[in-house]
């Protein structure tokens, strides 16, 4: 199945793009999709357990994905 990966800020800079399509097995969790993404050049330094959103809602890293889902990796934000 295919999921759309969205990357923001630092994660976008590390991977070199803001989104990509990723082929993953059916029944894949967000964690497994992140693991698959981390095997791509430039994505190896992404954290193993980033904060994620599925279809624009915060989600557990253990959420099962469906074909066509959008998985966003949310980088840490500092402010003051």
């Amino acid at each position: 199945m295919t999921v759309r990966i969205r990357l923001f800020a630092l994660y976008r800079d590390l991977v070199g793009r803001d989104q990509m399509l990723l082929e993953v097995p059916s029944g894949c969790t967000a964690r497994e999709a992140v693991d698959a993404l981390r095997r791509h050049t430039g994505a190896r330094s992404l954290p193993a357990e980033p904060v994620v959103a599925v279809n624009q809602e915060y989600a557990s890293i253990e959420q099962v994905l469906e074909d066509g889902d959008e998985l966003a990796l949310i980088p840490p934000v500092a402010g003051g």
Side-chain angles (χ1 to χ4, degrees), residues 6-75:
R6 298 287 311 266
L7 302 157
F8 302 95
L10 172 65
Y11 297 164
R12 177 188 59 229
D13 294 343
L14 290 171
V15 177
R17 61 175 82 176
D18 63 350
Q19 60 182 305
M20 63 188 294
L21 297 177
L22 184 67
E23 291 293 324
V24 293
S26 292
C28 177
T29 64
R31 177 190 307 277
E32 292 166 330
V34 169
D35 288 345
L37 176 63
R38 291 178 72 226
R39 289 191 280 276
H40 286 267
T41 302
R44 290 185 179 104
S45 57
L46 292 173
E49 293 189 27
V51 173
V52 298
V54 176
N55 299 325
Q56 300 180 1
E57 292 189 22
Y58 285 103
S60 164
I61 194 80
E62 299 303 330
Q63 180 166 332
V64 175
L65 302 174
E66 297 182 16
D67 187 43
D69 278 351
E70 177 185 88
L71 175 64
L73 280 59
I74 313 296

